[in-house]
Amino acid sequence: MAMTVSLASAFCPQHCRCDDARLEANCSGAQLDSFPIALNPRLKRLLLAGGGIRQLHRNMMVSSYKQLEVLDLSRNGLRDLQLGSFAHQHRLRELRLAGNRLSQLAPRVLAGLQQLRELDLSGNQLQSLPSGLLRTVPLLEDLNLADNQLHLLPLPQLAVLDLSSNRLAQLDGGDLVLPELTHLSLAGNRLARLDSAAFADLGSLRRLVLSDAGLARLEGATFAPLAQLEELYLDGNRLRRLGGEPLRVLPRLRLLSVSGCPLLSALEPDAFAAGPALQELLIERNPRLTAVPAGAFLRLPRLRRLSLRANALAWLPADACAWPRLQAGLGDNPWLCWCPSQNCDRRMERTWGET
C-alpha cells in the first residue's frame, strides 16, 4: 500500500514541527534564516521565533498562508517590514514581533490586518509610531510596546496597553484618550509627576501599573477619574510618605501595592482611612519604613491579605490584631516583640511567628 504523506509534513523544514491536523507549524528555535514559503497554505498558526529572518518582504506573505490566525516572528533580528507584507492576511488575529530591531514602521505597514486583536512590538528600537499606523487595525485590543525608546504616545482604541520601560518623561491631559482601555502599564518610565488630568479619559481602567516610574508624589485629583480601578501598583517609586490618596478617590480598588520604595519612611494616619473594597494590601521591602500608625487598617472592612514583609518595623500598634480572617505576612522585620497586644488570638500569633 502506498504511503500517503501529509501536505504539511512533506515540506516541513528541518527542526520544525508541522501538524497537519491542527494546521500549525512550529519552527521556533529552528534558526531559519529565510521565511518558509512551501508549508501547508492552509496553516492557521506559524511560529518562527528565535530565527535569523532579517527582512519581511511583500511576496513572502501575499501568496502564502492567507488563513493564518497567529504569526510569531519574535527574536529574529528583523530590521524592516515592507509595505504590503500583510496585505492578504485578513484573518490574522495575533502578530508577535517582539525582540527584533525595528526602529521605524511605515504608516500603512499593517494594512490588511482587519481582524488583528493582539500586536506585540516590545523589545524593539521604536522612538515613535507614525500617524495613522493603528487606524489600519480597527479591531486591535492588546498592544505591547514595552522596552522601546518611545517619547510620544499612540492613541488607538485599545483594551490593553503596555508602555513599560520606555522614555516617557511627562503625561498630560489629552495624551491618553482611551475610553475603552482596561489595563495600562507605564512601569519603568521617567515620570517624575503626573498631570492632574493625565487619566481624565481612562474611565474604564481596571488595572494600572506605575511601578518604577520615578514618581515622587501622588495627587488625588490625578486618580479621581478612575472610578472603575481595581488594581494599582506603585512599587519602586520615590515616594517618601503615603497619605490618604489615592484610596480616598478609588472606591472599587481591591489591590494596592506600595513595595520596594527606597525613600518611603512614613504612612500618614489617614493613609487607609477610606478603602471600602480593598482586599489586598502589599507594603513590602521599604527599608526606611519603621512604623505603622494606630488604627491604620481598621477602616478596611474587606481586607483579607496584608503583607508588611521586609520593612524596618520593630513593633505594631495595639489594634494590629483586630483583623478578622486576615492572612498576614510580617516576616523579615527587626521585631522587638512578637505580639503588640494581649488580645492577639492564637491563630494570629501562629501566622505572625511563621511568616
Side-chain angles (χ1 to χ4, degrees):
M1 183 175 65
M3 180 178 294
T4 300
V5 180
S6 72
L7 182 60
S9 60
F11 302 102
C12 193
Q14 188 177 9
H15 304 305
C16 295
R17 298 184 299 278
C18 303
D19 189 327
D20 206 15
R22 297 175 60 186
L23 296 176
E24 174 178 309
N26 188 345
C27 296
S28 296
Q31 299 295 318
L32 298 184
D33 57 9
S34 61
F35 193 91
I37 59 174
L39 296 170
N40 187 340
R42 295 182 295 114
L43 282 177
K44 292 186 176 182
R45 292 174 58 88
L46 179 54
L47 310 179
L48 300 169
I53 302 171
R54 299 291 185 261
Q55 288 186 320
L56 195 61
H57 296 291
R58 183 176 185 274
N59 292 335
M60 291 179 177
M61 295 290 294
V62 170
S63 59
S64 306
Y65 318 131
K66 297 179 181 179
Q67 310 300 315
L68 273 184
E69 296 178 2
V70 177
L71 175 61
D72 188 353
L73 286 163
S74 303
R75 306 187 310 281
N76 267 279
L78 272 171
R79 297 177 181 272
D80 181 45
L81 300 177
Q82 284 196 354
L83 191 64
S85 293
F86 309 107
H88 289 256
Q89 275 59 56
H90 301 316
R91 299 189 180 187
L92 199 68
R93 298 172 60 89
E94 182 176 348
L95 177 58
R96 308 172 193 166
L97 295 167
N100 284 294
R101 299 179 183 178
L102 299 171
S103 58
Q104 59 183 0
L105 298 173
R108 295 189 55 80
V109 72
L110 301 178
L113 300 179
Q114 301 166 359
Q115 298 297 317
L116 194 69
R117 264 48 173 205
E118 299 182 31
L119 175 60
D120 189 350
L121 286 165
S122 62
N124 281 283
Q125 300 167 13
L126 299 171
Q127 296 186 16
S128 64
L129 296 185
S131 175
L133 174 73
L134 298 173
R135 285 199 289 270
T136 62
V137 283
L139 299 183
L140 190 68
E141 297 176 349
D142 189 335
L143 175 61
N144 191 342
L145 289 167
D147 294 306
N148 277 282
Q149 301 172 20
L150 291 172
H151 297 273
L152 301 174
L153 297 176
L155 295 175
Q157 294 303 309
L158 298 169
V160 179
L161 177 58
D162 188 342
L163 289 166
S164 59
S165 300
N166 280 286
R167 298 180 180 180
L168 300 175
Q170 189 171 343
L171 194 61
D172 296 319
D175 284 346
L176 291 172
V177 182
L178 298 167
E180 306 300 321
L181 196 70
T182 61
H183 292 62
L184 172 63
S185 178
L186 293 166
N189 280 284
R190 303 171 181 176
L191 301 170
R193 61 178 295 274
L194 294 171
D195 184 82
S196 60
F199 303 135
D201 298 294
L202 300 177
S204 298
L205 202 64
R206 296 200 305 270
R207 186 174 192 266
L208 176 59
V209 182
L210 291 170
S211 304
D212 300 303
L215 296 174
R217 64 175 181 171
L218 306 175
E219 297 179 4
T222 303
F223 296 92
L226 305 180
Q228 306 299 317
L229 196 68
E230 298 178 356
E231 299 181 16
L232 177 59
Y233 299 85
L234 296 168
D235 309 321
N237 280 293
R238 295 165 44 234
L239 304 171
R240 294 177 180 273
R241 307 177 70 85
L242 184 63
E245 314 293 359
L247 273 183
R248 187 178 293 119
V249 295
L250 297 174
R252 296 195 178 186
L253 195 68
R254 294 186 299 104
L255 184 152
L256 174 62
S257 182
V258 189
S259 301
C261 297
L263 303 179
L264 184 64
S265 60
L267 303 178
E268 300 276 354
D270 68 341
F272 310 108
L278 197 66
Q279 298 178 21
E280 296 187 52
L281 179 56
L282 311 178
I283 304 176
E284 304 176 331
R285 306 184 315 281
N286 301 297
R288 297 190 183 185
L289 186 60
T290 60
V292 172
F297 312 116
L298 293 181
R299 298 185 185 181
L300 304 176
R302 298 189 180 182
L303 192 64
R304 294 295 177 267
R305 183 187 173 206
L306 171 68
S307 181
L308 296 171
R309 296 176 184 273
N311 292 295
L313 300 174
W315 61 281
L316 288 178
D319 56 29
C321 295
W323 313 326
R325 300 183 300 278
L326 185 69
Q327 294 181 348
L330 305 170
D332 298 319
N333 281 285
W335 299 112
L336 298 179
C337 63
W338 281 111
C339 189
S341 170
Q342 294 179 353
N343 296 325
C344 289
D345 60 27
R346 293 180 180 178
R347 179 192 61 79
M348 190 62 202
E349 284 184 337
R350 285 198 301 273
T351 303
W352 196 338
E354 292 171 2
T355 59

